[in-house]
Amino acid sequence: MTARKRILTGIRPTGPLHLGHYAGALETWVRLQHDYECYFLIADYQVSDYADDIPRVREAVWEVALDWLAVGLDPENSAFVIESLVPEHAELTTLLGWFLPVSMLERNPTLKSEMAAMENPEDGSTERKSVPVAFYTYPVMQVANILMPRAHLVPVGEDQLPHIELTRETARRFNRRFKEVFPEPEALVGRVPRLVGLDGNAKMSKSRGNTIDLKDDAETVARKIRSMYGGPPRGANEPGRCDENPIFLYLRAFDPDTEGLRQLEHDYETRGVPNQVLKDRLTRALNDLLDPFRERRAYYQARMRLVRDALASGSERMRRIARETMDMVHDALDLNYLEKY
Ligand code: ATP
Ligand code: MG
């Protein structure tokens, strides 16, 4: 039997997971989990922007693991990893930093926009934050995360593509200069590369509070959709443009009845359909999607020891492969000083 190729991907423990995570990433993880050897990382070294709220991070580690189980990831098959239980990630980050010029971080568009948002929050209520050193270098740590299990594939949302490019560049440089250690990993963007937020913002994101969470109950989903942004103002039976109404983006992403949806889009553009009709349809589609997740979540929530065991054994599995990789790296860089005498 040939060895399965490897996947590494991850999520920061900064809050419960939402529909953007699902459509952009998790759905692909679930689909590929049996074809690849998978390492799913809870990236708790990369929460420097939440360093003043560690209780939230502690809570989110469990939330993320529960959400993974809820969507159907199988910890018997894939490793659920807590990053800080594999401190080799920190070591590899340091060593790879030797080979990455600062200019590559300065050019990284995702990092640039995240730092700008931190320094100049659009939402007037949040105070300006200065950017921690560890935030500036988090893409290097992500490179180390991906290279650690010598992964071949990285399923992620679109905002992560610059980081994967950085990873490929680092692998090329290292292999050329020293020894062929790292495969050059491919990115795989999910069905919905970037899901918009309920407020119409370009990205549904934990930090903006514009999310529908995978753990929301049916009533919460209905309430959030009732108040979601439905495009520019329009009379109830006035025709509109589907592309100006984010409800359609959601329906296209989550309503399995594509035939019925096409008809609805036609009606909307020709004779007008009230937003309430669209919202009712979306609420039904989302609750149908989320119901089985809620059931599995409840099962594990009543058995947190199973969740704990999944994290412990997954982290241990990653640790074994991390030691293997670090041996290869030390050997390639010729850092085995004590072997001299
Ligand atoms: P934060 O706002 O705290 O950075 P986040 O919601 O961006 O949180 P991450 O942990 O940074 O979450 O991202 C985890 C994964 O989910 C990444 O692959 C990312 O691309 C994907 N993802 C997050 N939000 C979306 C979205 N709105 N649409 C598509 N993919 C998304
Ligand atoms: Mg993010």
Side-chain angles (χ1 to χ4, degrees):
M1 201 182 86
T2 50
R4 286 181 299 173
K5 291 198 166 181
R6 291 185 187 147
I7 279 180
L8 179 126
T9 185
I11 289 191
R12 307 190 316 143
T14 54
L17 302 187
H18 52 67
L19 287 175
H21 293 117
Y22 183 71
L26 290 175
E27 191 186 50
T28 325
W29 307 7
V30 173
R31 182 164 55 80
L32 297 179
Q33 65 178 327
H34 297 293
D35 300 334
Y36 287 78
E37 183 182 313
C38 295
Y39 297 86
F40 300 126
L41 191 74
I42 300 181
D44 69 320
Y45 274 150
Q46 297 170 52
V47 296
S48 56
D49 46 335
Y50 288 81
D52 58 359
D53 197 359
I54 299 300
R56 178 184 175 124
V57 172
R58 286 178 64 87
E59 183 64 28
V61 166
W62 297 105
E63 293 284 5
V64 169
L66 276 170
D67 283 331
W68 286 357
L69 292 162
V71 297
L73 293 176
D74 172 10
E76 296 284 325
N77 182 63
S78 301
F80 288 14
V81 183
I82 295 180
E83 184 180 34
S84 63
L85 292 184
V86 189
E88 284 84 355
H89 284 124
E91 186 190 2
L92 189 57
T93 304
T94 300
L95 294 176
L96 295 178
W98 293 1
F99 309 108
L100 282 177
V102 168
S103 60
M104 287 184 69
L105 292 179
E106 284 167 350
R107 279 201 306 269
N108 185 306
T110 296
L111 182 62
K112 272 208 291 210
S113 71
E114 286 170 341
M115 290 198 317
M118 236 185 221
E119 288 175 319
N120 296 302
E122 290 165 43
D123 155 13
S125 62
T126 359
E127 61 189 285
R128 291 166 62 103
K129 284 194 197 151
S130 55
V131 176
V133 170
F135 194 89
Y136 187 66
T137 56
Y138 93 79
V140 184
M141 187 157 251
Q142 238 185 69
V143 170
N145 296 149
I146 297 166
L147 295 184
M148 187 64 89
R150 308 185 301 279
H152 303 90
L153 192 70
V154 194
V156 283
E158 179 186 64
D159 60 324
Q160 300 300 304
L161 290 178
H163 305 337
I164 315 292
E165 201 38 58
L166 192 67
T167 310
R168 293 167 61 84
E169 178 65 27
T170 310
R172 279 196 293 272
R173 285 175 184 223
F174 189 99
N175 291 343
R176 206 167 39 222
R177 191 152 153 198
F178 304 102
K179 228 179 229 178
E180 187 77 22
V181 172
F182 302 114
E184 233 179 273
E186 305 276 346
L188 180 66
V189 173
R191 199 167 49 85
V192 180
R194 184 184 302 244
L195 186 69
V196 299
L198 285 175
D199 55 358
N201 183 274
K203 188 179 167 224
M204 180 176 279
S205 139
K206 289 173 269 191
S207 349
R208 289 190 67 96
N210 59 5
T211 64
I212 292 179
D213 297 337
L214 300 180
K215 67 168 190 172
D216 283 346
D217 61 26
E219 189 35 54
T220 307
V221 169
R223 179 173 48 74
K224 286 183 175 176
I225 291 176
R226 264 201 304 279
S227 58
M228 85 176 267
Y229 175 70
R234 196 171 47 85
N237 287 309
E238 191 185 321
R241 302 252 313 276
C242 297
D243 289 342
E244 286 177 359
N245 188 338
I247 304 175
F248 278 106
L249 294 178
Y250 282 70
L251 283 168
R252 285 174 197 153
F254 299 109
D255 188 338
D257 175 14
T258 45
E259 207 40 55
L261 183 56
R262 232 188 319 253
Q263 181 62 45
L264 188 68
E265 291 185 342
H266 176 76
D267 292 349
Y268 185 83
E269 300 224 331
T270 52
R271 59 181 173 80
V273 177
N275 268 350
Q276 197 48 55
V277 172
L278 308 180
K279 288 184 170 182
D280 287 347
R281 185 181 171 113
L282 178 60
T283 304
R284 273 195 308 276
L286 287 182
N287 281 328
D288 286 350
L289 172 75
L290 296 178
D291 270 340
F293 301 174
R294 292 172 181 141
E295 228 168 89
R296 271 194 297 262
R297 198 175 213 280
Y299 175 88
Y300 284 105
Q301 212 158 8
R303 295 165 182 80
M304 287 306 286
R305 195 72 196 175
L306 292 180
V307 185
R308 184 220 167 261
D309 290 348
L311 290 169
S313 68
S315 302
E316 190 44 49
R317 237 150 98 193
M318 172 100 239
R319 190 121 207 233
R320 283 197 292 274
I321 200 166
R323 291 206 190 96
E324 207 178 274
T325 300
M326 290 318 298
D327 282 347
M328 292 162 85
V329 168
H330 285 160
D331 179 55
L333 296 179
D334 217 3
L335 298 180
N336 295 316
Y337 311 108
L338 296 183
E339 281 175 11
K340 184 165 178 189
Y341 300 105

